[in-house]
Amino acid sequence: MLKSRSMTGFAITRLLSCCAAACLAATLAMPARAQDKPDNWLSRLFQPQTPNPVPGAAPGSGEDTPWSGQSGASGNPLMTADAIRAAAADFKDCIANLWPDAARRGITRENYDRFTAGLTPDLHIMDLLDAQPEFTKAPWDYLDLLVSDDRIARGQALLKQYAPVFAAMQRSYGVDPAIIAAIWGVESNYSTLGGTRPVIRSTATLACVGRRRDYFREEFLSTLEILQRGDVPPEHLIGSWAGAFGPTQFMPTTFKRFAVDFDGDGRRDIVDSVPDLIASTANNLKLDGWVAGQTWGYEVVLPQNFDYMLADRTKQMTLKQWEALGLRRANGGAFPHPDDKAYLLIPAGARGPAFLMLQNFRVIMKYNPAEAYALAIGYLADRMRGGAPFVQSWPRDERVLTLDERTEMQQLLAQHGFNVGQPDGLLGPQTRIAIRNFQASVGQIPDGFASSAVLDRLRQQ
């Protein structure tokens, strides 16, 4: 667990790069990146290995791994090998040209020179920026990974250890302590897993090299502001390849918007101060619309002959309206606030559990816009409070489609007149709607789940 500020050089990133993209069949919707984190947790679950370096790769390009020397997979002209090499050669001038923007933010010349002295581009980041991971995790496997007995127990211990801080946070921000502990546990395994890259170097690299320079110039300048203020010392500002840092993974611009000084020492330190870490994460959720006293959602049982076209995040109804349609809580209990509005989520289709999701589930998705992530956070928080496992079983015999198969599914749907946008293997809301409409047209249950049965039927059409 995170210790006091006296712990030297302790900085955490989110679940290392062992975590990579989990589109989780049709369960995920990714309209944006988590807190604008380009390397968000769900884009890193089981990431493939970076290609082996080739002769001619740029020297001094990464913390431990050199750049592959290959063009990126996106096809962006700024990600060709020649463009990367040219930008790397111009790196020193690029940093020098950013000085006027830094000066306008109050960065002193002395500090600018000190913070950027000796910086070289970490070009291995280019391989990570344009990686195309294979998505192979089912939602039940994902939850098994994150909501383990060990993670539940460690979260309970953390809630007990820092009980006064969590109580003060809840009084100030109205956020459930178990939700904050769950985010802490999922993002960095309670501060036990972390990255090794200096945030200043990562953001400087991405501000000058690659396809997202405009975005990362803001992150680089915000990093300088953090260092100028002295909120986090340079040797502790260590993070992921894209610059996310701290046990609950803030990008520098997110830090600027949400970080608070909860321990009253004059610094907003989400790395080494437990009060600042807890309160800053809560402030993020509160300003994103957290409803005090409301849970995230309920597991529910659907009636026979249910209209699965209602399983749509745009179709919100009150809990009592859902009850009138025959939905019941899976544990047999009553809905404590029947006027709360919710939408229906069936992440594994008609054969898996169903959930009614409230406003706070949407807020968690603003922290990381993937349904599987938000479900894991809510479920882990419930289990920390002593809640029971989900009642309904998952269809563990269901085979998860490969990236190529999901792309083929999208292409076949498009050929049959269903709108999926650009086929890319990422099964977001648009593809889910297309799957549902196709299922309805051929007499299948329109649950929107990207199953092998749906793919087989498309191939037969």
Side-chain angles (χ1 to χ4, degrees):
M1 284 182 198
L2 190 68
K3 296 183 179 180
S4 68
R5 230 186 215 114
S6 62
M7 191 171 187
T8 303
F10 196 94
I12 307 302
T13 62
R14 44 199 319 243
L15 287 184
L16 282 173
S17 58
C18 67
C19 304
C23 188
L24 305 184
T27 67
L28 302 190
M30 292 189 177
R33 290 174 171 83
Q35 298 185 67
D36 295 325
K37 292 193 278 279
D39 64 332
N40 85 62
W41 205 99
L42 290 175
S43 69
R44 293 186 287 119
L45 191 59
F46 303 106
Q47 177 113 352
Q49 293 297 313
T50 302
N52 291 327
V54 299
S61 55
E63 288 299 309
D64 297 305
T65 308
W67 172 46
S68 68
Q70 299 176 3
S71 297
S74 66
N76 188 293
L78 293 175
M79 292 300 294
T80 66
D82 287 343
I84 291 170
R85 288 191 178 95
D90 189 53
F91 181 77
K92 185 175 181 180
D93 287 341
C94 174
I95 295 299
N97 291 335
L98 289 172
W99 155 244
D101 290 331
R104 282 190 285 272
R105 296 177 181 230
I107 308 299
T108 66
R109 183 77 221 199
E110 178 185 5
N111 279 337
Y112 190 84
D113 291 343
R114 179 162 62 94
F115 297 145
T116 62
L119 278 182
T120 58
D122 179 358
L123 294 188
H124 177 53
I125 290 176
M126 296 302 107
D127 293 322
L128 302 173
L129 178 65
D130 247 19
Q132 288 189 324
E134 174 64 70
F135 308 125
T136 58
K137 264 306 187 193
W140 47 91
D141 292 329
Y142 180 80
L143 291 175
D144 289 346
L145 174 69
L146 292 183
V147 191
S148 63
D149 290 342
D150 177 68
R151 203 177 301 256
I152 294 166
R154 291 171 65 194
Q156 291 171 330
L158 182 146
L159 286 166
K160 182 177 180 180
Q161 180 179 357
Y162 297 113
V165 178
F166 279 111
M169 173 280 296
Q170 189 170 24
R171 288 192 297 270
S172 296
Y173 299 99
V175 178
D176 176 6
I179 291 290
I180 302 299
I183 292 174
W184 191 347
V186 167
E187 292 286 358
S188 66
N189 198 21
Y190 308 114
S191 303
T192 63
L193 296 176
T196 60
R197 286 178 162 85
V199 173
I200 188 68
R201 187 186 186 204
S202 295
T203 56
T205 297
L206 288 159
C208 294
V209 186
R211 60 182 169 81
R212 300 198 65 195
R213 300 181 197 181
D214 289 342
Y215 170 86
F216 278 103
R217 281 172 187 153
E218 182 63 32
E219 298 298 340
F220 170 68
L221 294 168
S222 296
T223 301
L224 290 170
E225 291 182 83
I226 295 170
L227 294 172
Q228 169 87 14
R229 281 177 47 92
D231 286 312
V232 182
E235 65 273 17
H236 290 206
L237 197 58
I238 307 297
S240 69
W241 63 261
F245 69 98
T248 56
Q249 289 295 272
F250 277 19
M251 288 296 286
T253 53
T254 305
F255 178 95
K256 283 179 57 179
R257 292 196 300 270
F258 300 120
V260 295
D261 173 21
F262 205 59
D263 61 11
D265 70 348
R267 295 194 293 135
R268 301 179 297 167
D269 185 357
I270 66 167
V271 175
D272 293 326
S273 167
V274 170
D276 291 0
L277 154 69
I278 291 172
S280 297
T281 308
N283 188 45
N284 186 336
L285 296 178
K286 178 183 178 181
L287 294 179
D288 275 343
W290 186 268
V291 179
Q294 185 186 83
T295 188
W296 57 274
Y298 301 97
E299 184 188 1
V300 294
V301 177
L302 306 181
Q304 290 186 345
N305 302 317
F306 178 74
D307 180 6
Y308 281 87
M309 299 299 280
L310 294 174
D312 188 320
R313 70 171 62 191
T314 66
K315 292 180 170 61
Q316 277 207 123
M317 289 187 280
T318 64
L319 295 174
K320 62 184 177 185
Q321 287 174 318
W322 285 111
E323 279 191 297
L325 293 174
L327 278 72
R328 298 291 183 267
R329 288 190 66 181
N331 66 4
F335 293 113
H337 305 288
D339 290 325
D340 285 350
K341 288 187 175 182
Y343 72 90
L344 180 64
L345 174 67
I346 46 172
R351 297 179 59 214
F355 304 90
L356 286 176
M357 300 310 196
L358 281 67
Q359 165 66 11
N360 285 344
F361 186 82
R362 293 178 182 268
V363 173
I364 299 170
M365 283 191 64
K366 291 180 181 180
Y367 201 90
N368 188 317
E371 289 165 350
Y373 174 92
L375 181 61
I377 295 297
Y379 185 39
L380 179 56
D382 284 355
R383 297 298 305 280
M384 286 181 193
R385 289 190 297 268
F390 291 142
V391 174
Q392 299 164 101
S393 60
W394 296 94
R396 294 180 180 271
D397 60 329
E398 184 72 51
R399 182 178 69 83
V400 178
L401 300 182
T402 67
L403 178 62
D404 287 342
E405 287 175 323
R406 291 196 304 277
T407 302
E408 179 189 359
M409 176 179 285
Q410 291 174 319
Q411 292 168 339
L412 290 172
L413 286 166
Q415 290 172 18
H416 288 87
F418 298 97
N419 182 19
V420 296
Q422 180 64 38
D424 57 7
L426 302 179
L427 305 184
Q430 193 172 22
T431 299
R432 186 183 305 179
I433 292 171
I435 293 171
R436 280 171 34 195
N437 290 337
F438 169 74
Q439 290 171 316
S441 72
V442 297
Q444 292 182 338
I445 296 175
D447 59 11
F449 185 59
S451 67
S452 57
V454 172
L455 179 59
D456 289 342
R457 188 61 183 268
L458 278 165
R459 288 168 172 167
Q460 296 167 8
Q461 291 296 108

